[in-house]
Amino acid sequence: SRYSFFESTGLPNELASRGFTEDVQIPAYLYREDGMKLWNAIGGFATDFVDEVFDSDEAVASDEVVQEWAKETTDPDKGAVKGFPTSFEDKETVAKVLQTIMWMASGLHAAVNFPQYDEFAYVPNKPWHLRADLSTMPEDDAEIREWMFENMFPHINTDDDWLRESANTLVTDEHAAIDSLAMVRLLTTPSRNCLDNLSDRFEKIGTEAYDKFLKNLNVISEEIEARNDEAEKANKAPYNYLNPSNVPSSIDI
């Protein structure tokens, strides 16, 4: 389906598009559970912030900077963002846009990006290197599995003979597995600017809105940490990707 700003990026709409509305009972769908808590907290913050900045809908409609933002973002030769408002006529729409943008760059990114380490740190789960051209893959299904193990699974090998034999293949680095680990660690490095430590960014404007937001974030963190403690006691995997203390305020890798 084609991208649309609110429909594709806003969490409730995105969940609904996949049949995962909140009334659908799915045990331990923690992305939805934690995500909706964070989505709603962000929405409250966006509304409070807009209320601090604009006195009325008329103030929004007459704000040249805000209108130019809408115009440039939807211009086919500039932002070209499908589904973004072509103009702003009220505070509610501004808040909704801010909520969606903040969620996309924080919660959504965290939920998609940070699980990569758990998946890729065991390199055989998802090898990133290939030591032979795909054209050499056997056609016989019985031989493909052995070919994949031989040419796709990682090596940590310092043998000179092996390196010389590999000189004409696609990958000659004996530390391919280590390189994969280093890359995924880089991609999932925790942010220094998470949602719950931005007070210094709101000292002049949005102070009350952020203070209220921070209190809501702390409640969410406490709920997630309490659930994770119980999960670990039951020998179950914790889900901490959407804990506000881990969620970056922007995509900053």
Side-chain angles (χ1 to χ4, degrees):
S1 61
R2 299 184 65 181
Y3 176 84
S4 176
F5 178 72
F6 288 121
E7 297 302 320
S8 303
T9 312
L11 180 59
N13 291 332
E14 189 277 324
L15 288 169
S17 72
R18 296 187 288 114
F20 293 126
T21 51
E22 289 190 275
D23 60 313
V24 177
Q25 298 300 313
I26 302 178
Y29 188 14
L30 300 181
Y31 167 68
R32 181 181 65 181
E33 181 179 322
D34 296 349
M36 285 304 301
K37 291 178 181 179
L38 192 57
W39 166 265
N40 290 330
I42 291 172
F45 171 56
T47 297
D48 292 340
F49 184 86
V50 170
D51 284 342
E52 283 193 42
V53 176
F54 294 104
D55 294 330
S56 63
D57 292 340
E58 290 74 17
V60 170
S62 62
D63 190 294
E64 294 181 1
V65 174
V66 170
Q67 300 307 326
E68 184 60 31
W69 175 34
K71 181 180 178 181
E72 182 172 321
T73 303
T74 56
D75 189 325
D77 296 323
K78 295 183 179 180
V81 177
K82 299 291 184 180
F84 196 90
T86 56
S87 64
F88 290 104
E89 305 301 329
D90 53 66
K91 296 194 294 181
E92 182 180 358
T93 304
V94 176
K96 186 178 179 182
V97 167
L98 292 178
Q99 178 186 23
T100 304
I101 292 174
M102 285 189 283
W103 161 254
M104 178 169 52
S106 60
L108 178 59
H109 173 66
V112 172
N113 182 68
F114 293 118
Q116 289 185 101
Y117 189 82
D118 293 336
E119 174 71 16
F120 298 151
Y122 180 61
V123 182
N125 271 346
K126 193 77 69 170
W128 287 12
H129 295 82
L130 185 64
R131 292 185 296 278
D133 195 287
L134 283 174
S135 63
T136 66
M137 180 184 290
E139 294 185 3
D140 187 343
D141 289 345
E143 299 178 7
I144 289 177
R145 182 179 177 85
E146 183 177 348
W147 184 92
M148 291 177 67
F149 271 91
E150 176 64 27
N151 295 292
M152 299 180 71
F153 269 47
H155 279 293
I156 300 179
N157 199 322
T158 58
D159 182 76
D160 289 341
D161 290 336
W162 181 86
L163 287 175
R164 280 192 291 272
E165 292 172 3
S166 304
N168 294 320
T169 62
L170 296 184
V171 176
T172 60
D173 184 1
E174 73 274 25
H175 297 299
I178 297 174
D179 287 348
S180 297
L181 285 169
M183 178 59 71
V184 74
R185 185 70 185 96
L186 175 64
L187 290 173
T188 58
T189 300
S191 175
R192 295 181 179 180
N193 301 294
C194 291
L195 290 177
D196 64 348
N197 63 357
L198 301 174
S199 295
D200 59 327
R201 312 293 176 87
F202 296 96
E203 291 179 347
K204 295 183 178 180
I205 189 170
T207 306
E208 293 183 11
Y210 183 75
D211 287 346
K212 181 180 176 181
F213 182 44
L214 185 57
K215 291 178 181 178
N216 291 331
L217 294 179
N218 289 338
V219 170
I220 295 172
S221 288
E222 291 172 0
E223 292 174 348
I224 291 175
E225 289 165 7
R227 183 196 65 215
N228 286 340
D229 287 342
E230 292 301 314
E232 291 182 350
K233 291 177 183 177
N235 200 29
K236 296 180 179 179
Y239 186 87
N240 209 38
Y241 304 122
L242 290 177
N243 187 332
S245 62
N246 296 329
V247 175
S249 59
S250 64
I251 301 173
D252 58 357
I253 60 171

